[in-house]
Amino acid sequence: MAWGNQTFTSDFILLGIFNHSPTHIFLFSLVLVIFIVAFMGNTAMILLIYLDPQLHTPMYFLLSQLSLMDLMLITTTVPKMAFNYLSGSKSISVAGCATQIFFYTSLLGCECFLLAVMAYDRYIAICHPLRYPNLMSPKICGLMTASSWILGSTDGVIDAVATFSFSYCGSREIAQFFCDFPSLLIISCNDTSTFEEVLFYCCIIMIIFPVAVIIASYARVILAVIRMASGEGRRKAFATCSSHLMVVGMYYGAALFMYMRPTSDRSPNQDKTVSVFYTILTPILNPLIYSLRNKEVARAFMKVLGKGKSGQ
């Protein structure tokens, strides 16, 4: 088996995205600021939803899970990138690389399925409000969320094991700032075409199927919203759904571009740019989109601030 032939004392080299020019030092500093804001924003979102009883609903529970996934995703890639840049080291061990691939791929898969669950939740809430307590009970919501985690983690295990079933000879330089399995396949000395074909069909299940669920759910939601007699109800429904659709568009657009292209069509610069978008920028945009466009989250935040001031 090729895994047994891997040279575990020979690390991979992450080429990264920054050098030490003034412009790149500024961009690196900007990434660190984004990381801190994303870390704090997603942590605050999770704590707000946990602490405020009025946010203990399926929609906000799912939102807290999305924030948790974003929090884990950004901490999977940015700290290692920052350490390598500041220390001058570009290496990552085989075990470290496999760990990054597992968590990174798992979390992307989890988010794919969770976003579909969130779309279904909005469909039930708007199109079948009287049946919502039964169709989105805490038990059903918990089962769907757990399924998202399990399916995503299964995909992560499969991708990590499959990636390291190949041999890597010659250059062990990865044209990325983290271990991403498409970038590893490029430097493999084995024929990876069969795995890439299997990966393409897996992406259909992991990306296209959830997208189909989202499109079907929101098509029904839009029709229901248009028929609403109340202008206030229509505005509230559109505000909630538009926030979710903004996240879906950013996330799936980048995922489709990244993982449904053959290795031969890949450009390292394009891959780095897209990777920065959905591993660094998306985790900061999610809490901003949902908090700035959501009165309940804003109210909970002000309530916590008020308690903090009164306790001083």
mmCIF file of all heavy atoms in Angstrom, residues 17 73 104 108 176-178 180 250-261 266-283:
data_model
loop_
_atom_site.group_PDB
_atom_site.id
_atom_site.type_symbol
_atom_site.label_atom_id
_atom_site.label_comp_id
_atom_site.label_asym_id
_atom_site.label_seq_id
_atom_site.Cartn_x
_atom_site.Cartn_y
_atom_site.Cartn_z
ATOM 1 N N ILE A 17 1.287 32.154 0.360
ATOM 2 C CA ILE A 17 0.778 33.197 -0.544
ATOM 3 C C ILE A 17 1.474 34.542 -0.338
ATOM 4 O O ILE A 17 1.266 35.468 -1.106
ATOM 5 C CB ILE A 17 -0.745 33.390 -0.370
ATOM 6 C CG1 ILE A 17 -1.107 33.602 1.099
ATOM 7 C CG2 ILE A 17 -1.518 32.234 -0.947
ATOM 8 C CD1 ILE A 17 -2.576 33.894 1.338
ATOM 9 N N LEU A 73 -13.080 25.999 10.812
ATOM 10 C CA LEU A 73 -12.460 26.071 9.485
ATOM 11 C C LEU A 73 -11.317 27.072 9.451
ATOM 12 O O LEU A 73 -10.228 26.774 8.947
ATOM 13 C CB LEU A 73 -13.521 26.446 8.446
ATOM 14 C CG LEU A 73 -13.050 26.555 6.988
ATOM 15 C CD1 LEU A 73 -12.532 25.215 6.498
ATOM 16 C CD2 LEU A 73 -14.189 27.037 6.090
ATOM 17 N N TYR A 104 -10.356 20.189 7.158
ATOM 18 C CA TYR A 104 -10.759 21.147 6.124
ATOM 19 C C TYR A 104 -11.878 20.562 5.253
ATOM 20 O O TYR A 104 -12.927 21.186 5.071
ATOM 21 C CB TYR A 104 -9.531 21.494 5.286
ATOM 22 C CG TYR A 104 -9.789 22.411 4.129
ATOM 23 C CD1 TYR A 104 -9.958 23.773 4.320
ATOM 24 C CD2 TYR A 104 -9.856 21.912 2.829
ATOM 25 C CE1 TYR A 104 -10.185 24.623 3.249
ATOM 26 C CE2 TYR A 104 -10.084 22.757 1.759
ATOM 27 C CZ TYR A 104 -10.256 24.107 1.971
ATOM 28 O OH TYR A 104 -10.488 24.940 0.914
ATOM 29 N N LEU A 108 -15.963 21.588 5.182
ATOM 30 C CA LEU A 108 -16.608 22.028 3.941
ATOM 31 C C LEU A 108 -17.836 21.170 3.649
ATOM 32 O O LEU A 108 -18.895 21.679 3.274
ATOM 33 C CB LEU A 108 -15.627 21.944 2.769
ATOM 34 C CG LEU A 108 -14.468 22.951 2.745
ATOM 35 C CD1 LEU A 108 -13.628 22.745 1.499
ATOM 36 C CD2 LEU A 108 -14.980 24.383 2.794
ATOM 37 N N GLN A 176 0.123 26.031 -2.178
ATOM 38 C CA GLN A 176 -0.995 26.509 -1.377
ATOM 39 C C GLN A 176 -0.453 26.988 -0.042
ATOM 40 O O GLN A 176 0.737 26.834 0.259
ATOM 41 C CB GLN A 176 -2.013 25.387 -1.127
ATOM 42 C CG GLN A 176 -3.200 25.351 -2.083
ATOM 43 C CD GLN A 176 -4.155 26.517 -1.854
ATOM 44 O OE1 GLN A 176 -3.834 27.476 -1.153
ATOM 45 N NE2 GLN A 176 -5.332 26.450 -2.464
ATOM 46 N N PHE A 177 -1.314 27.599 0.791
ATOM 47 C CA PHE A 177 -0.892 28.004 2.126
ATOM 48 C C PHE A 177 -1.388 27.020 3.182
ATOM 49 O O PHE A 177 -1.204 27.228 4.368
ATOM 50 C CB PHE A 177 -1.381 29.428 2.445
ATOM 51 C CG PHE A 177 -2.884 29.602 2.400
ATOM 52 C CD1 PHE A 177 -3.644 29.489 3.551
ATOM 53 C CD2 PHE A 177 -3.519 29.898 1.200
ATOM 54 C CE1 PHE A 177 -5.023 29.652 3.503
ATOM 55 C CE2 PHE A 177 -4.896 30.083 1.156
ATOM 56 C CZ PHE A 177 -5.647 29.947 2.312
ATOM 57 N N PHE A 178 -2.015 25.924 2.723
ATOM 58 C CA PHE A 178 -2.425 24.838 3.611
ATOM 59 C C PHE A 178 -2.505 23.569 2.767
ATOM 60 O O PHE A 178 -2.414 23.615 1.532
ATOM 61 C CB PHE A 178 -3.775 25.133 4.272
ATOM 62 C CG PHE A 178 -4.923 25.196 3.303
ATOM 63 C CD1 PHE A 178 -5.766 24.115 3.119
ATOM 64 C CD2 PHE A 178 -5.169 26.345 2.558
ATOM 65 C CE1 PHE A 178 -6.820 24.172 2.221
ATOM 66 C CE2 PHE A 178 -6.224 26.417 1.657
ATOM 67 C CZ PHE A 178 -7.045 25.324 1.483
ATOM 68 N N ASP A 180 -4.292 21.046 0.856
ATOM 69 C CA ASP A 180 -5.564 20.850 0.177
ATOM 70 C C ASP A 180 -5.358 19.695 -0.798
ATOM 71 O O ASP A 180 -4.421 19.714 -1.592
ATOM 72 C CB ASP A 180 -5.947 22.134 -0.558
ATOM 73 C CG ASP A 180 -7.330 22.052 -1.176
ATOM 74 O OD1 ASP A 180 -8.122 21.216 -0.718
ATOM 75 O OD2 ASP A 180 -7.607 22.840 -2.099
ATOM 76 N N MET A 250 -22.095 32.697 -2.048
ATOM 77 C CA MET A 250 -20.648 32.819 -1.876
ATOM 78 C C MET A 250 -20.003 31.453 -1.679
ATOM 79 O O MET A 250 -18.974 31.132 -2.288
ATOM 80 C CB MET A 250 -20.338 33.715 -0.672
ATOM 81 C CG MET A 250 -20.729 35.159 -0.851
ATOM 82 S SD MET A 250 -20.196 36.185 0.538
ATOM 83 C CE MET A 250 -20.997 35.384 1.925
ATOM 84 N N TYR A 251 -20.603 30.649 -0.832
ATOM 85 C CA TYR A 251 -19.996 29.381 -0.447
ATOM 86 C C TYR A 251 -19.983 28.383 -1.602
ATOM 87 O O TYR A 251 -18.940 27.833 -1.959
ATOM 88 C CB TYR A 251 -20.750 28.795 0.744
ATOM 89 C CG TYR A 251 -20.162 27.508 1.245
ATOM 90 C CD1 TYR A 251 -19.041 27.510 2.078
ATOM 91 C CD2 TYR A 251 -20.698 26.288 0.876
ATOM 92 C CE1 TYR A 251 -18.487 26.338 2.519
ATOM 93 C CE2 TYR A 251 -20.142 25.102 1.316
ATOM 94 C CZ TYR A 251 -19.046 25.135 2.144
ATOM 95 O OH TYR A 251 -18.492 23.957 2.574
ATOM 96 N N TYR A 252 -21.160 28.148 -2.203
ATOM 97 C CA TYR A 252 -21.239 27.142 -3.250
ATOM 98 C C TYR A 252 -20.562 27.594 -4.530
ATOM 99 O O TYR A 252 -20.019 26.763 -5.276
ATOM 100 C CB TYR A 252 -22.695 26.782 -3.522
ATOM 101 C CG TYR A 252 -23.283 25.864 -2.485
ATOM 102 C CD1 TYR A 252 -24.182 26.331 -1.533
ATOM 103 C CD2 TYR A 252 -22.926 24.516 -2.430
ATOM 104 C CE1 TYR A 252 -24.714 25.487 -0.576
ATOM 105 C CE2 TYR A 252 -23.454 23.666 -1.481
ATOM 106 C CZ TYR A 252 -24.351 24.159 -0.554
ATOM 107 O OH TYR A 252 -24.866 23.321 0.396
ATOM 108 N N GLY A 253 -20.566 28.893 -4.804
ATOM 109 C CA GLY A 253 -19.871 29.380 -5.984
ATOM 110 C C GLY A 253 -18.389 29.051 -5.935
ATOM 111 O O GLY A 253 -17.805 28.552 -6.904
ATOM 112 N N ALA A 254 -17.777 29.306 -4.774
ATOM 113 C CA ALA A 254 -16.354 29.007 -4.605
ATOM 114 C C ALA A 254 -16.099 27.502 -4.620
ATOM 115 O O ALA A 254 -15.121 27.027 -5.220
ATOM 116 C CB ALA A 254 -15.852 29.608 -3.294
ATOM 117 N N ALA A 255 -16.976 26.728 -3.971
ATOM 118 C CA ALA A 255 -16.790 25.271 -3.899
ATOM 119 C C ALA A 255 -16.899 24.629 -5.281
ATOM 120 O O ALA A 255 -16.107 23.742 -5.632
ATOM 121 C CB ALA A 255 -17.813 24.657 -2.945
ATOM 122 N N LEU A 256 -17.869 25.054 -6.069
ATOM 123 C CA LEU A 256 -18.023 24.522 -7.429
ATOM 124 C C LEU A 256 -16.800 24.822 -8.277
ATOM 125 O O LEU A 256 -16.318 23.969 -9.023
ATOM 126 C CB LEU A 256 -19.278 25.110 -8.085
ATOM 127 C CG LEU A 256 -20.623 24.581 -7.586
ATOM 128 C CD1 LEU A 256 -21.767 25.449 -8.116
ATOM 129 C CD2 LEU A 256 -20.824 23.139 -8.019
ATOM 130 N N PHE A 257 -16.287 26.052 -8.169
ATOM 131 C CA PHE A 257 -15.106 26.443 -8.945
ATOM 132 C C PHE A 257 -13.879 25.632 -8.511
ATOM 133 O O PHE A 257 -13.058 25.245 -9.340
ATOM 134 C CB PHE A 257 -14.829 27.936 -8.753
ATOM 135 C CG PHE A 257 -13.608 28.419 -9.498
ATOM 136 C CD1 PHE A 257 -13.688 28.748 -10.843
ATOM 137 C CD2 PHE A 257 -12.386 28.546 -8.844
ATOM 138 C CE1 PHE A 257 -12.560 29.194 -11.536
ATOM 139 C CE2 PHE A 257 -11.264 28.995 -9.531
ATOM 140 C CZ PHE A 257 -11.356 29.316 -10.876
ATOM 141 N N MET A 258 -13.776 25.351 -7.216
ATOM 142 C CA MET A 258 -12.572 24.731 -6.673
ATOM 143 C C MET A 258 -12.519 23.231 -6.914
ATOM 144 O O MET A 258 -11.471 22.681 -7.262
ATOM 145 C CB MET A 258 -12.497 25.013 -5.166
ATOM 146 C CG MET A 258 -11.148 24.715 -4.553
ATOM 147 S SD MET A 258 -9.908 25.890 -5.095
ATOM 148 C CE MET A 258 -8.459 25.253 -4.263
ATOM 149 N N TYR A 259 -13.645 22.541 -6.740
ATOM 150 C CA TYR A 259 -13.587 21.080 -6.663
ATOM 151 C C TYR A 259 -14.230 20.348 -7.834
ATOM 152 O O TYR A 259 -14.179 19.128 -7.881
ATOM 153 C CB TYR A 259 -14.233 20.609 -5.350
ATOM 154 C CG TYR A 259 -13.415 21.021 -4.155
ATOM 155 C CD1 TYR A 259 -13.819 22.056 -3.341
ATOM 156 C CD2 TYR A 259 -12.206 20.392 -3.882
ATOM 157 C CE1 TYR A 259 -13.048 22.447 -2.259
ATOM 158 C CE2 TYR A 259 -11.431 20.776 -2.813
ATOM 159 C CZ TYR A 259 -11.855 21.807 -2.008
ATOM 160 O OH TYR A 259 -11.078 22.207 -0.955
ATOM 161 N N MET A 260 -14.800 21.050 -8.777
ATOM 162 C CA MET A 260 -15.409 20.357 -9.905
ATOM 163 C C MET A 260 -14.670 20.633 -11.204
ATOM 164 O O MET A 260 -15.213 20.535 -12.293
ATOM 165 C CB MET A 260 -16.901 20.715 -10.017
ATOM 166 C CG MET A 260 -17.690 20.260 -8.807
ATOM 167 S SD MET A 260 -19.464 20.129 -9.057
ATOM 168 C CE MET A 260 -19.567 18.679 -10.111
ATOM 169 N N ARG A 261 -13.378 20.990 -11.070
ATOM 170 C CA ARG A 261 -12.505 21.142 -12.234
ATOM 171 C C ARG A 261 -11.445 20.059 -12.204
ATOM 172 O O ARG A 261 -10.964 19.684 -11.132
ATOM 173 C CB ARG A 261 -11.811 22.508 -12.222
ATOM 174 C CG ARG A 261 -12.721 23.690 -12.419
ATOM 175 C CD ARG A 261 -11.908 24.962 -12.348
ATOM 176 N NE ARG A 261 -11.239 25.090 -11.052
ATOM 177 C CZ ARG A 261 -10.056 25.652 -10.868
ATOM 178 N NH1 ARG A 261 -9.377 26.120 -11.901
ATOM 179 N NH2 ARG A 261 -9.533 25.748 -9.659
ATOM 180 N N ARG A 266 -6.175 23.365 -13.519
ATOM 181 C CA ARG A 266 -5.982 24.184 -12.318
ATOM 182 C C ARG A 266 -4.821 25.164 -12.484
ATOM 183 O O ARG A 266 -3.797 24.838 -13.078
ATOM 184 C CB ARG A 266 -5.716 23.293 -11.100
ATOM 185 C CG ARG A 266 -6.927 22.486 -10.715
ATOM 186 C CD ARG A 266 -6.677 21.674 -9.443
ATOM 187 N NE ARG A 266 -7.896 21.007 -9.057
ATOM 188 C CZ ARG A 266 -8.869 21.564 -8.361
ATOM 189 N NH1 ARG A 266 -8.742 22.806 -7.956
ATOM 190 N NH2 ARG A 266 -9.961 20.908 -8.059
ATOM 191 N N SER A 267 -5.011 26.337 -11.942
ATOM 192 C CA SER A 267 -3.959 27.345 -11.871
ATOM 193 C C SER A 267 -3.678 27.613 -10.399
ATOM 194 O O SER A 267 -4.605 27.913 -9.637
ATOM 195 C CB SER A 267 -4.411 28.632 -12.560
ATOM 196 O OG SER A 267 -3.628 29.728 -12.146
ATOM 197 N N PRO A 268 -2.409 27.485 -9.948
ATOM 198 C CA PRO A 268 -2.105 27.709 -8.534
ATOM 199 C C PRO A 268 -2.574 29.065 -8.021
ATOM 200 O O PRO A 268 -3.096 29.166 -6.910
ATOM 201 C CB PRO A 268 -0.573 27.604 -8.493
ATOM 202 C CG PRO A 268 -0.223 26.714 -9.640
ATOM 203 C CD PRO A 268 -1.231 27.059 -10.704
ATOM 204 N N ASN A 269 -2.414 30.113 -8.838
ATOM 205 C CA ASN A 269 -2.836 31.446 -8.398
ATOM 206 C C ASN A 269 -4.350 31.533 -8.232
ATOM 207 O O ASN A 269 -4.845 32.133 -7.273
ATOM 208 C CB ASN A 269 -2.353 32.506 -9.396
ATOM 209 C CG ASN A 269 -0.858 32.702 -9.349
ATOM 210 O OD1 ASN A 269 -0.228 32.489 -8.310
ATOM 211 N ND2 ASN A 269 -0.264 33.098 -10.456
ATOM 212 N N GLN A 270 -5.094 30.933 -9.172
ATOM 213 C CA GLN A 270 -6.548 30.919 -9.051
ATOM 214 C C GLN A 270 -6.984 30.144 -7.814
ATOM 215 O O GLN A 270 -7.870 30.580 -7.064
ATOM 216 C CB GLN A 270 -7.185 30.293 -10.292
ATOM 217 C CG GLN A 270 -7.175 31.193 -11.518
ATOM 218 C CD GLN A 270 -7.844 30.524 -12.702
ATOM 219 O OE1 GLN A 270 -8.033 29.308 -12.739
ATOM 220 N NE2 GLN A 270 -8.212 31.326 -13.697
ATOM 221 N N ASP A 271 -6.356 28.980 -7.591
ATOM 222 C CA ASP A 271 -6.709 28.152 -6.431
ATOM 223 C C ASP A 271 -6.444 28.891 -5.125
ATOM 224 O O ASP A 271 -7.245 28.827 -4.187
ATOM 225 C CB ASP A 271 -5.918 26.835 -6.451
ATOM 226 C CG ASP A 271 -6.460 25.860 -7.490
ATOM 227 O OD1 ASP A 271 -7.493 26.170 -8.102
ATOM 228 O OD2 ASP A 271 -5.851 24.793 -7.672
ATOM 229 N N LYS A 272 -5.318 29.597 -5.054
ATOM 230 C CA LYS A 272 -4.998 30.353 -3.839
ATOM 231 C C LYS A 272 -6.024 31.448 -3.599
ATOM 232 O O LYS A 272 -6.477 31.652 -2.462
ATOM 233 C CB LYS A 272 -3.591 30.963 -3.956
ATOM 234 C CG LYS A 272 -2.453 29.963 -3.848
ATOM 235 C CD LYS A 272 -1.116 30.668 -4.020
ATOM 236 C CE LYS A 272 0.044 29.689 -4.029
ATOM 237 N NZ LYS A 272 1.340 30.371 -4.210
ATOM 238 N N THR A 273 -6.392 32.159 -4.656
ATOM 239 C CA THR A 273 -7.354 33.258 -4.515
ATOM 240 C C THR A 273 -8.701 32.753 -4.018
ATOM 241 O O THR A 273 -9.290 33.315 -3.084
ATOM 242 C CB THR A 273 -7.541 33.982 -5.865
ATOM 243 O OG1 THR A 273 -6.269 34.474 -6.314
ATOM 244 C CG2 THR A 273 -8.516 35.141 -5.733
ATOM 245 N N VAL A 274 -9.198 31.678 -4.642
ATOM 246 C CA VAL A 274 -10.490 31.122 -4.248
ATOM 247 C C VAL A 274 -10.419 30.545 -2.838
ATOM 248 O O VAL A 274 -11.344 30.693 -2.036
ATOM 249 C CB VAL A 274 -10.954 30.043 -5.246
ATOM 250 C CG1 VAL A 274 -12.267 29.412 -4.796
ATOM 251 C CG2 VAL A 274 -11.122 30.653 -6.634
ATOM 252 N N SER A 275 -9.290 29.903 -2.500
ATOM 253 C CA SER A 275 -9.123 29.333 -1.165
ATOM 254 C C SER A 275 -9.150 30.421 -0.093
ATOM 255 O O SER A 275 -9.745 30.237 0.971
ATOM 256 C CB SER A 275 -7.803 28.559 -1.074
ATOM 257 O OG SER A 275 -7.817 27.445 -1.930
ATOM 258 N N VAL A 276 -8.496 31.550 -0.368
ATOM 259 C CA VAL A 276 -8.525 32.672 0.573
ATOM 260 C C VAL A 276 -9.957 33.140 0.779
ATOM 261 O O VAL A 276 -10.372 33.434 1.908
ATOM 262 C CB VAL A 276 -7.651 33.845 0.056
ATOM 263 C CG1 VAL A 276 -7.943 35.118 0.841
ATOM 264 C CG2 VAL A 276 -6.178 33.493 0.164
ATOM 265 N N PHE A 277 -10.732 33.153 -0.298
ATOM 266 C CA PHE A 277 -12.111 33.640 -0.202
ATOM 267 C C PHE A 277 -12.944 32.795 0.751
ATOM 268 O O PHE A 277 -13.582 33.313 1.673
ATOM 269 C CB PHE A 277 -12.758 33.651 -1.588
ATOM 270 C CG PHE A 277 -14.176 34.141 -1.578
ATOM 271 C CD1 PHE A 277 -14.450 35.490 -1.519
ATOM 272 C CD2 PHE A 277 -15.231 33.244 -1.615
ATOM 273 C CE1 PHE A 277 -15.761 35.955 -1.495
ATOM 274 C CE2 PHE A 277 -16.538 33.695 -1.595
ATOM 275 C CZ PHE A 277 -16.800 35.053 -1.535
ATOM 276 N N TYR A 278 -12.930 31.454 0.546
ATOM 277 C CA TYR A 278 -13.870 30.681 1.367
ATOM 278 C C TYR A 278 -13.254 30.057 2.618
ATOM 279 O O TYR A 278 -13.968 29.451 3.415
ATOM 280 C CB TYR A 278 -14.619 29.617 0.535
ATOM 281 C CG TYR A 278 -13.793 28.475 0.009
ATOM 282 C CD1 TYR A 278 -13.484 27.370 0.783
ATOM 283 C CD2 TYR A 278 -13.364 28.469 -1.318
ATOM 284 C CE1 TYR A 278 -12.763 26.318 0.269
ATOM 285 C CE2 TYR A 278 -12.645 27.413 -1.836
ATOM 286 C CZ TYR A 278 -12.357 26.337 -1.040
ATOM 287 O OH TYR A 278 -11.630 25.297 -1.555
ATOM 288 N N THR A 279 -11.940 30.217 2.821
ATOM 289 C CA THR A 279 -11.374 29.759 4.099
ATOM 290 C C THR A 279 -11.116 30.913 5.062
ATOM 291 O O THR A 279 -11.051 30.699 6.271
ATOM 292 C CB THR A 279 -10.041 29.008 3.889
ATOM 293 O OG1 THR A 279 -9.088 29.883 3.278
ATOM 294 C CG2 THR A 279 -10.231 27.783 3.033
ATOM 295 N N ILE A 280 -10.968 32.133 4.538
ATOM 296 C CA ILE A 280 -10.657 33.281 5.396
ATOM 297 C C ILE A 280 -11.767 34.329 5.369
ATOM 298 O O ILE A 280 -12.195 34.818 6.419
ATOM 299 C CB ILE A 280 -9.311 33.920 4.978
ATOM 300 C CG1 ILE A 280 -8.172 32.901 5.136
ATOM 301 C CG2 ILE A 280 -9.018 35.172 5.800
ATOM 302 C CD1 ILE A 280 -6.823 33.379 4.634
ATOM 303 N N LEU A 281 -12.250 34.670 4.172
ATOM 304 C CA LEU A 281 -13.251 35.737 4.076
ATOM 305 C C LEU A 281 -14.661 35.270 4.449
ATOM 306 O O LEU A 281 -15.382 35.980 5.143
ATOM 307 C CB LEU A 281 -13.249 36.325 2.661
ATOM 308 C CG LEU A 281 -11.980 37.069 2.242
ATOM 309 C CD1 LEU A 281 -12.122 37.627 0.843
ATOM 310 C CD2 LEU A 281 -11.669 38.199 3.223
ATOM 311 N N THR A 282 -15.064 34.075 3.987
ATOM 312 C CA THR A 282 -16.417 33.595 4.291
ATOM 313 C C THR A 282 -16.684 33.489 5.785
ATOM 314 O O THR A 282 -17.750 33.900 6.255
ATOM 315 C CB THR A 282 -16.684 32.245 3.596
ATOM 316 O OG1 THR A 282 -16.527 32.408 2.182
ATOM 317 C CG2 THR A 282 -18.094 31.763 3.868
ATOM 318 N N PRO A 283 -15.746 32.958 6.604
ATOM 319 C CA PRO A 283 -16.014 32.882 8.049
ATOM 320 C C PRO A 283 -16.238 34.240 8.719
ATOM 321 O O PRO A 283 -16.903 34.298 9.751
ATOM 322 C CB PRO A 283 -14.746 32.199 8.601
ATOM 323 C CG PRO A 283 -14.259 31.358 7.485
ATOM 324 C CD PRO A 283 -14.535 32.177 6.256
#
